[in-house]
Amino acid sequence: MRMLIHCEIKPDQVERNLELLGAAFAELAEVQPDGVRYSTFQLDDKVTFVSFVEMSGGPAVMHDLPAFQRYRSTLDERCVQPPVITMLHDVGSYRSC
């Protein structure tokens, strides 16, 4: 399962979003769940975040990560609109990140 997640954060919530993301990525680095690849990027406008996620075992692997659950459980409150999740289907890649 591969997906792209796009969200616009309320300007007054950007720092909180960065804090929660930092904790979630620290937890991923500590736990190192199998089959998970996760990258998040902050765009130049500073309020738009884009994540690329790959989970070979499906999303259940993220349910056991408390920091990720804290991030996810309050995401809608921080967003201007609910995040947009798009499923990705591999066509090809060259030295992808």
Side-chain angles (χ1 to χ4, degrees), residues 10-43:
K10 296 172 186 171
D12 66 336
Q13 294 293 312
V14 170
E15 288 304 316
R16 179 69 178 141
N17 196 62
L18 290 168
E19 291 170 12
L20 290 166
L21 275 170
F25 278 107
E27 183 176 52
L28 285 167
E30 181 181 327
V31 175
Q32 298 182 6
D34 289 331
V36 174
R37 295 174 63 172
Y38 204 118
S39 300
T40 299
F41 303 90
Q42 184 179 22
L43 302 189

Side-chain angles (χ1 to χ4, degrees), residues 4-7 39-43 48-52:
L4 169 83
I5 303 168
H6 177 272
C7 61
S39 300
T40 299
F41 303 90
Q42 184 179 22
L43 302 189
T48 304
F49 290 79
V50 178
S51 298
F52 295 96

Side-chain angles (χ1 to χ4, degrees), residues 21-76:
L21 275 170
F25 278 107
E27 183 176 52
L28 285 167
E30 181 181 327
V31 175
Q32 298 182 6
D34 289 331
V36 174
R37 295 174 63 172
Y38 204 118
S39 300
T40 299
F41 303 90
Q42 184 179 22
L43 302 189
D44 284 341
D45 67 7
K46 304 295 185 203
V47 296
T48 304
F49 290 79
V50 178
S51 298
F52 295 96
V53 183
E54 182 176 349
M55 291 180 270
S56 61
V61 68
M62 303 301 275
H63 294 193
D64 293 332
L65 303 175
F68 180 79
Q69 290 305 316
R70 277 190 299 280
Y71 168 77
R72 182 59 194 104
S73 69
T74 59
L75 183 58
D76 289 341

